Amino acid sequence: MKKLIHPLAAIFLAWGAGASETWCANPAEAMQKAAAQNKGVMLEFTGSDWCGACIMQKKQALALPEIQTAISRSFIPVELDYPRKKQQDAQTKSSLENYKKSYGITGFPTLVFADAHGRPVHTVTGYANPGQVMQDTKKAEEALNTQQALTDKLEKKLTDRQRRDTLVQLLKTVPQSSIRTFYKPALAELEKLDPQDASGILSELNRNNLLHAQILEWADTFRRKNVHILAEQNPDEALSIMDSYLQKDGLLPEVKQAVLMQKVNLLMRQNRVNELERLLQKGAALLPESFEGKAFSRLLDKLPEIKKERGHLKPGEEPPLPPGAIRAVKMIVPPASAK
């Protein structure tokens, strides 16, 4: 399998502004340096003048000398900035949008650790403290070494079975969301060598694509029906919309858990705690080991305490907070994905 530079590299050549002075200012130069030094690149997708989590992560983690040293062992860092106040020329904005689309960026901050051709090996979305950044950098370094070793192996003369097994290892090493965009040659060859999909990679990719589509459809539907507003003004109607949506054919368990958790949150805010037990049991049973499944189980364990705390309150009334605590703002609908 030939080592091909992804088409995004051509875009990188046209862009070189907006990065922090301490980081590489040009993605193309970063890739060239990475190739020469047998390293990868770390792309930081950030909103430097509006994204609080981005600003905190840069200041509290990425700017630390020990973090920069850890990253630079295997990666050349590049900042891809999406500011709201700072002016950028049309070409820069267009290039940045292409990066965001190609890498499937849906939130800030996001760190994409990639090889010298821009192919992701590890991706992290959301704020991470210094310890977490260190852990992710180590994971990314290990993934990059594995990816490079498997890519090098595919350059050698192998039997069809050896190539198939190596391709499977490679595609299981990298983020699944990047396979169809950045690892097309490897996927196409695997489809020929494994037409029955014995590895299960194709079916897993198809399922993930379906899950992504269902999540977008669910969020868009609830947004169009103003469920977040109804949750405050007409909770019964909001609950009815949730119940109706849960009856849709073919919904994957992850989506059902997400909708059920919204329903649980709304019932909790209405202090209708006697209606929670069945929902919590149902949510936990769908995918017990998922993040949401474990959350349902924890709530189920705490249900007696929740009933004691909220059972006597009126709809919408909140229990008193401990001294010095700040009440969290809850969202009933995920924010719209960035265009």
Side-chain angles (χ1 to χ4, degrees), residues 196-207:
Q196 303 302 318
D197 191 28
S199 66
I201 286 180
L202 286 175
S203 61
E204 192 170 353
L205 281 175
N206 291 335
R207 187 186 187 281

Side-chain angles (χ1 to χ4, degrees), residues 234-253:
N234 192 341
D236 286 337
E237 186 174 349
L239 290 168
S240 178
I241 292 173
M242 294 177 190
D243 287 336
S244 178
Y245 201 84
L246 286 167
Q247 300 305 312
K248 287 188 59 140
D249 291 334
L251 277 187
L252 292 174

Side-chain angles (χ1 to χ4, degrees), residues 101-152:
K101 181 178 179 181
S102 293
Y103 283 100
I105 304 302
T106 58
F108 296 95
T110 291
L111 301 180
V112 177
F113 295 86
D115 67 6
H117 302 316
R119 298 178 301 185
V121 297
H122 186 64
T123 301
V124 186
T125 299
Y127 170 83
N129 62 37
Q132 292 169 326
V133 173
M134 280 287 198
Q135 291 177 7
D136 280 304
T137 300
K138 183 178 180 181
K139 289 179 182 178
E141 186 175 19
E142 293 171 351
L144 178 65
N145 291 336
T146 301
Q147 184 248 41
Q148 290 178 334
L150 293 170
T151 301
D152 290 342

Side-chain angles (χ1 to χ4, degrees), residues 82-330:
Y82 297 77
R84 291 180 178 174
K85 300 175 183 177
K86 184 170 62 179
Q87 295 297 314
Q88 293 176 321
D89 59 66
Q91 184 178 16
T92 297
K93 288 184 177 180
S94 176
S95 297
L96 285 166
E97 287 306 311
N98 284 330
Y99 307 148
K100 189 164 65 172
K101 181 178 179 181
S102 293
Y103 283 100
I105 304 302
T106 58
F108 296 95
T110 291
L111 301 180
V112 177
F113 295 86
D115 67 6
H117 302 316
R119 298 178 301 185
V121 297
H122 186 64
T123 301
V124 186
T125 299
Y127 170 83
N129 62 37
Q132 292 169 326
V133 173
M134 280 287 198
Q135 291 177 7
D136 280 304
T137 300
K138 183 178 180 181
K139 289 179 182 178
E141 186 175 19
E142 293 171 351
L144 178 65
N145 291 336
T146 301
Q147 184 248 41
Q148 290 178 334
L150 293 170
T151 301
D152 290 342
K153 184 177 180 180
L154 289 167
E155 294 290 330
K156 301 176 181 178
K157 188 175 181 179
L158 303 173
T159 65
D160 284 352
R161 182 172 181 175
Q162 288 173 326
R163 290 193 69 81
R164 180 200 67 192
D165 293 345
T166 304
L167 287 165
V168 169
Q169 285 181 277
L170 173 64
L171 296 180
K172 286 187 175 181
T173 296
V174 302
Q176 280 219 333
S177 59
S178 71
I179 290 176
R180 293 193 185 277
T181 302
F182 293 92
Y183 293 88
K184 279 185 178 179
L187 182 61
E189 185 176 3
L190 180 60
E191 288 177 322
K192 293 179 180 178
L193 295 173
D194 184 18
Q196 303 302 318
D197 191 28
S199 66
I201 286 180
L202 286 175
S203 61
E204 192 170 353
L205 281 175
N206 291 335
R207 187 186 187 281
N208 284 343
N209 287 343
L210 176 60
L211 176 59
H212 180 68
Q214 287 191 0
I215 289 174
L216 291 179
E217 199 274 340
W218 150 62
D220 182 62
T221 298
F222 278 32
R223 193 174 299 111
R224 285 188 288 102
K225 293 188 176 183
N226 294 319
V227 172
H228 60 298
I229 295 176
L230 290 173
E232 301 295 334
Q233 300 178 355
N234 192 341
D236 286 337
E237 186 174 349
L239 290 168
S240 178
I241 292 173
M242 294 177 190
D243 287 336
S244 178
Y245 201 84
L246 286 167
Q247 300 305 312
K248 287 188 59 140
D249 291 334
L251 277 187
L252 292 174
E254 291 93 333
V255 180
K256 289 183 178 180
Q257 282 187 325
V259 178
L260 283 170
M261 186 59 78
Q262 286 187 314
K263 186 174 180 181
V264 166
N265 287 334
L266 180 49
L267 287 173
M268 191 99 71
R269 289 163 62 188
Q270 291 297 304
N271 297 315
R272 293 161 61 173
V273 290
N274 292 327
E275 300 176 44
L276 292 176
E277 185 171 1
R278 182 182 62 82
L279 292 178
L280 293 174
Q281 291 173 340
K282 184 177 180 179
L286 284 168
L287 284 174
E289 297 304 313
S290 70
F291 177 85
E292 290 79 5
K294 292 177 181 179
F296 280 117
S297 294
R298 288 194 296 269
L299 286 172
L300 196 57
D301 290 339
K302 292 182 179 180
L303 189 55
E305 180 183 338
I306 293 171
K307 287 183 176 181
K308 183 178 180 181
E309 181 183 57
R310 289 180 171 269
H312 64 285
L313 299 178
K314 299 176 182 179
E317 185 180 357
E318 293 287 346
L321 290 173
I326 300 175
R327 196 171 300 284
V329 177
K330 300 174 182 177

